[in-house]
Amino acid sequence: TLEENKRLASEVAARGEAVQGLRQDIASLVASLPPDPRNAPVAVRAARFEVKGDTLAYNVVLSRERAGANPFGGVMQLVVTGASGRADDKVTLAPIPVSVGLYDTVRGSLPLPQGFRPRQTTIHVLDKVGGRLMGQRVINVG
């Protein structure tokens, strides 16, 4: 049992070191992303959107230049511009809770109205639903 505990403790330590290395690698990658031109408290560093049927899959990288000990807690709201039938339309999707320390990646998917074809998404980072704008970026849907 003692030998097994030593082996397990050694494995846990090795995995902890590996995780720390990966965190440093990710922080370096985030730092190399293009800066958010708005110089907002929460920067939208990169985003990718994909339409899958009547849903919008998203992958957004957020960061904070002056991240303190406490993470920023707020919401991300996507406003999607596109075509619905013959007319251009804007759809505001449900808010997504976010917690951003130095960086955070927000992934998921949200439903779109049936037949809606998105072209562009405006990412709003707010301190709360309907609250103050803390970051924003416009990205084409592709």
Side-chain angles (χ1 to χ4, degrees):
T1 302
L2 289 175
E3 206 52 46
E4 180 69 11
N5 282 343
K6 285 181 185 178
R7 186 184 67 75
L8 291 173
S10 177
E11 283 182 24
V12 167
R15 289 182 186 186
E17 289 175 19
V19 167
Q20 185 60 27
L22 291 171
R23 284 185 178 148
Q24 290 171 348
D25 290 348
I26 291 170
S28 294
L29 287 171
V30 170
S32 71
L33 292 172
D36 187 335
R38 289 182 174 80
N39 198 28
V42 179
V44 180
R45 301 296 293 274
R48 187 176 64 229
F49 298 99
E50 185 180 350
V51 179
K52 295 180 178 180
D54 285 336
T55 63
L56 180 68
Y58 58 86
N59 191 340
V60 179
V61 179
L62 305 173
S63 71
R64 291 174 53 217
E65 186 79 20
R66 294 172 289 283
N70 297 325
F72 164 81
V75 296
M76 180 176 77
Q77 190 139 39
L78 305 177
V79 179
V80 185
T81 304
S84 180
R86 292 187 175 171
D88 278 351
D89 221 347
K90 260 188 188 176
V91 176
T92 301
L93 302 180
I96 304 151
V98 296
S99 178
V100 185
L102 185 57
Y103 62 86
D104 189 29
T105 301
V106 186
R107 293 182 203 97
S109 61
L110 292 169
L112 293 168
Q114 190 173 3
F116 184 78
R117 293 181 315 278
R119 284 192 317 272
Q120 193 174 67
T121 300
T122 303
I123 304 161
H124 295 279
V125 179
L126 307 163
D127 61 349
K128 61 184 177 186
V129 175
R132 193 174 74 185
L133 187 65
M134 302 301 286
Q136 175 180 317
R137 195 136 187 203
V138 179
I139 304 287
N140 290 331
V141 175

